[in-house]
Amino acid sequence: MTQPMPTFDQARTDAEPLLSVRDLVVEYHTQRGLVRAADHVSFDLHRNEVFGLAGESGCGKSTVAHAITRILKPPAHIAGGQVLFDEVDVLKLNDDQLRDIRWRRISIVFQSAMNALSPVLTVGTQIADALQAHENGTAQMTRRQVLDRARELLDLVGIDPDRVNSYPHQLSGGMRQRVVIAIALALNPELIVMDEPTTALDVVVQKQIMDQIRELRNQFGFSILFISHDLSLMVEFSDRVGIMYAGELVEVAPSQAIFNDPQHPYTVRLMNSFPTLSGPRVELFGIPGSPPDLITPPPGCRFHPRCDVALAGRCQTERPGLQPIGARHMAACHLLDDKIVNKEDAS
Amino acid sequence: MRFILRRLGFYLIALLVSVTLNFMIPRLMSGDPVQLMFARFQGRMDPRAIESLYETFGFVQGPLHEQYFTYLSHLLQGDLGVSIANFPIPVTEVIAVGLGWTLRLVGLATVIAFSAGIFLGIRAAWRRGRFADSVILPITGLLSAFPYFWLAMLVLYFFALGLGWFPLGHAYSLDIHQDWSSPEYLSSVLHHMILPATTIVLTAIGGWMLGMRNNMISVLSEDYITMAQAKGLSDRRVMYTYAARNAILPSLTGFAMSLGFVLGGALLTEIVFSYPGVGYTLLTAVNTRDYPLMQGVFLMITVAVLVANLLADTMYVLLDPRVRAA
Amino acid sequence: MIAAKPILEAQGLTKHFRTGGAVSQRVVKALQDASFQLYPGKVTALVGESGSGKSTTARLLARLYEPTAGQIIYAGRDTVEDKGRSKLLKYRSEVQMIFQDPFSSLNPVHSISYHLKRPLQIHRKAQGRQMTEKVHDLLHTVALTPPADYTPKYPHQLSGGQRQRVAIARALAVEPKVILADEPISMLDVSIRMGILNLMAKLRDEQNLAFLYVTHDLASARYFADETMVMYAGHIVESGGSEELTQDPQHPYTQLLLSAVPDPARGLRTQETEIAGEVPSLSEVGEGCPFAARCPHVMSRCREAMPPVTRLSETRWVRCYLFDEA
């Protein structure tokens, strides 16, 4: 069933978006049936912007990130849609073309660097790999140059350059994550996809890493697609946030708007699930029930069984599409029909 | 480093214990073991052999601890005594001959089986469900399940007896003079080696292949492999430097240990192909009740296995940096 | 209001772990000199990063380890005499633990009904027909209704939040007085967490239970706990009412912790001072205050010895030389 084509965010009308995801569908077969891990997900990411993709476990945010960078593991496969990176559909590239943009233009920071680094190779080797895999023809770097660049990168992320000969297990968790970030920066990409980069780290180390990333962004001006389940972190760090639920994008807005003025009932309830350190102590309730089974999702709006303001009838039969409901603010909910603005009005 | 020294210490103690056991066991039997052997030979033993037997077993005059030290000092000097059946040739010389052939045949075959098995295992894991995985793997598995001597005899029957492509036994043609510099001799040796080596490889390759394939599969599911691919590295680099380098660790230590057993000779191979290796030597020694020779071979096998274990431990430290920290 | 007497008290609790083989020994000083009280009808939070010693504290109170030094006083009695099965059993029936991982704290091969019946059987709380009734009551208490829907199910058929509720029900089965909750919500989805915390708050109020709430999340400690203690590298460095402590932290580490937590309500953050260093390894902690290496207010005496407890008010204390008058 096709959804009405969402009107795209015209935030920076001067430039085309760097990344444009359109109707992305990711599926995989299980013994019990077909799972739609991502269902017609569409959003734009602009140059020099941090776009956060938030949601709970199983919502599909990691799936979307993996699909965009084409590192989905079987049995998951892309069943439809486009991922336009600088106007080129990444999903249609062959292996060679893919290798070309991989790391040079889009790189990835994985969750829990513990496992993202091979334990038997030095940190320097793993940085050098990224550098050497992409030299074709023009100015081959000598070993010396590669090593120097590796040391430079370590320095950039706040690690003593002499650690270039260390093995991953000799570094602390925070340092390992910095190494992974250094590798991601190696070829000066335009977009870095960060999949839960600080989830496995303590809160103080997390702050150090996020500050470091901010600094590097100021220096190099890359965009970030930031995946996390930690909404507080997300809102603090991102320019715009997209909330996912059960494989669908249900709300997209600038981060302060998501925090101060959430529109979708799921987002509203979600924001009500985080205890805060400042402000008054209010009673929080969370959301009753659990996320739906993606093999047989509820008909109509996927959130309606847990929604306290669902409309009898429409919410149970008709799936809402992502519509613009304000300046740079989109949501997928029937109750917001009266707020829908036309593309021309939202400037 | 400290890890290796600790292991070395452990192995030295193990060696000492086995050597001591070796010393004690004849003494635990009631009566004089030398006389017993003499009786076995029905008196047809060279009297000088009896003397040297006493020497070898350390049955010299004096208290037990003196005998022990004599025994140990003999061992340290490399004096394993004199072979009874081949009197007066010393045991070390007899073993040396067999050892040479065993190392050449079994050593080479094991190395080939390991290398080929690892290589095929890598490919089978990388392309799961394709040719290497779904055709070669089951075949090698099947081959390794065959009783070895049966396969060896079949091979011998068809290719040597039936087709006449290969000789029926021995390490070289007996009518060619033993001279390593002669190409004629060399080609004869190679010709004789092919069938036995092939049977060893065929039955051993399955184990290595399966082990490596399984290790590879679990390594391939690790995040750092995905990361390496995402970096845009070539398939080859990911497969070898990232995946295989990690997956091979357990197999390497297994390999080091199997090298230890190489020195025991591939007994069945040597019997079927009448190959004059250590296994064949040991068999003859048992049949002729040549105790010094038997003891010598056992001691050599013990040392070889311990050395191989130490080698495996060392290799692990060299290859896996995580162990070095311990 | 604070009840007059604490139900469970730790005095000078210390735990050192020895690691390393025969050659090299290392001591991990997981917990040093911890003293605090748990009161009925109150939640006390133990907050710290990884390696702070908070889980070790919970496990010591649950008597899963024996302390290296210090006392655990339960209902006025020093538990060090409680050895032997029946005494330990009595303790366990009154002090129960809930674990972090809802996926591994339940045995996957047993049904929910089995999980809840076992503690009833072991501690002889019910028999025969009463058993099923009690199980249903427990499931009602944790809001898993209708109970008959849940009793035949297996853990893998339940969601994370439901499993954690079963774990709570299991702990409640023996009618404990104290519950030690070790990071009970960190592995649950965000929208589920509040439900569990609210359930525990309800139990605190209705059954007058004492809670120890171990967490790394200061915000949830502020929400759920009455008192909060902050730990760093094996020491409790600050303690006080949750609201007071989080709004007006005194110890430099607590201040650091608070500034690091992302809080969008605080508005746009400007670039703040660099936070240097990381939590020290527990096997390399020296004599002085463990935070000295990173503290912006460090003085020379901080490195010499651990500061003593300074009471700031009836409900607050810190261990920091900034407040030490001496």
Side-chain angles (χ1 to χ4, degrees), chain A residues 110-119 176, chain B residues 222-225 227:
Chain A
F110 282 82
Q111 180 178 357
S112 95
M114 229 83 56
N115 297 324
L117 297 172
S118 172
R176 277 194 289 249
Chain B
E222 295 276 354
D223 280 345
Y224 54 82
I225 300 294
M227 168 99 164

Side-chain angles (χ1 to χ4, degrees), chain A residues 235-248:
Chain A
V235 167
E236 230 192 37
F237 188 71
S238 318
D239 298 317
R240 283 191 310 139
V241 175
I243 307 282
M244 284 192 72
Y245 181 79
E248 295 179 322

Side-chain angles (χ1 to χ4, degrees), chain B residues 89-167:
Chain B
I89 307 179
V91 163
T92 36
E93 262 185 53
V94 179
I95 294 180
V97 173
L99 195 59
W101 289 115
T102 292
L103 280 176
R104 283 185 281 273
L105 173 67
V106 184
L108 194 65
T110 307
V111 168
I112 293 176
F114 179 74
S115 314
I118 295 296
F119 177 71
L120 286 171
I122 294 176
R123 290 210 78 83
W126 190 259
R127 293 165 192 281
R128 282 186 71 183
R130 305 268 280 277
F131 187 70
D133 198 22
S134 51
V135 176
I136 300 189
L137 189 62
I139 291 179
T140 56
L142 189 65
L143 284 173
S144 66
F146 287 169
Y148 173 79
F149 60 86
W150 181 75
L151 183 69
M153 289 202 289
L154 262 187
V155 165
L156 195 62
Y157 184 78
F158 280 115
F159 292 98
L161 194 64
L163 291 169
W165 288 351
F166 296 98

Side-chain angles (χ1 to χ4, degrees), chain B residues 145-190:
Chain B
F146 287 169
Y148 173 79
F149 60 86
W150 181 75
L151 183 69
M153 289 202 289
L154 262 187
V155 165
L156 195 62
Y157 184 78
F158 280 115
F159 292 98
L161 194 64
L163 291 169
W165 288 351
F166 296 98
L168 282 165
H170 298 297
Y172 55 90
S173 245
L174 291 168
D175 49 347
I176 300 183
H177 180 55
Q178 271 190 289
D179 175 14
W180 287 106
S181 58
S182 132
E184 218 187 4
Y185 179 66
L186 274 174
S187 75
S188 171
V189 166
L190 277 169

Side-chain angles (χ1 to χ4, degrees), chain A residues 19-255:
Chain A
L19 180 74
S20 190
V21 178
R22 309 215 172 147
D23 284 320
L24 183 62
V25 180
V26 177
E27 294 175 337
Y28 57 94
H29 289 270
T30 64
Q31 273 185 325
R32 293 195 300 127
L34 186 68
V35 173
R36 273 242 168 129
D39 198 343
H40 291 90
V41 173
S42 308
F43 64 91
D44 287 342
L45 187 152
H46 299 269
R47 286 173 211 282
N48 209 343
E49 173 182 53
V50 179
F51 186 88
L53 208 49
E56 301 179 281
S57 53
C59 70
K61 55 194 193 296
S62 275
T63 308
V64 167
H66 287 207
I68 290 174
T69 50
R70 290 192 54 183
I71 53 169
L72 273 180
K73 291 229 143 110
H77 64 273
I78 300 174
Q82 296 176 306
V83 172
L84 298 173
F85 182 75
D86 211 8
E87 319 272 305
V88 175
D89 189 356
V90 168
L91 302 181
K92 296 218 169 24
L93 295 178
N94 65 33
D95 278 349
D96 283 324
Q97 295 165 318
L98 191 60
R99 191 165 294 132
D100 225 24
I101 62 159
R102 259 190 177 154
W103 230 253
R104 256 210 264 214
R105 307 192 65 195
I106 308 182
S107 65
I108 313 177
V109 171
F110 282 82
Q111 180 178 357
S112 95
M114 229 83 56
N115 297 324
L117 297 172
S118 172
V120 299
L121 299 171
T122 61
V123 149
T125 312
Q126 301 192 51
I127 300 179
D129 258 342
L131 294 168
Q132 287 170 315
H134 291 273
E135 14 171 77
N136 15 7
T138 62
Q140 295 257 346
M141 292 172 88
T142 64
R143 240 191 88 80
R144 163 107 278 158
Q145 286 174 317
V146 169
L147 210 60
D148 282 342
R149 176 96 178 112
R151 296 173 67 104
E152 225 176 80
L153 286 164
L154 285 179
D155 191 36
L156 216 56
V157 293
I159 299 183
D160 177 10
D162 284 337
R163 303 303 293 255
V164 80
N165 292 319
S166 299
Y167 287 95
H169 69 273
Q170 294 170 312
L171 305 174
S172 69
M175 288 171 83
R176 277 194 289 249
Q177 197 61 315
R178 288 171 196 259
V179 169
V180 172
I181 293 172
I183 299 180
L185 286 170
L187 296 169
N188 236 319
E190 293 155 69
L191 170 64
I192 302 187
V193 175
M194 298 196 176
D195 188 358
E196 308 254 22
T198 55
T199 299
L201 304 172
D202 282 322
V203 70
V204 178
V205 179
Q206 174 177 279
K207 174 132 199 321
Q208 291 171 319
I209 301 280
M210 296 313 291
D211 282 348
Q212 182 83 74
I213 297 177
R214 228 182 243 123
E215 212 184 280
L216 290 165
R217 240 196 92 215
N218 287 338
Q219 226 182 323
F220 295 103
F222 46 84
S223 303
I224 302 180
L225 178 62
F226 186 68
I227 317 276
S228 181
H229 66 274
D230 185 347
L231 263 179
S232 324
L233 181 65
M234 178 79 67
V235 167
E236 230 192 37
F237 188 71
S238 318
D239 298 317
R240 283 191 310 139
V241 175
I243 307 282
M244 284 192 72
Y245 181 79
E248 295 179 322
L249 203 49
V250 297
E251 188 163 2
V252 181
S255 50

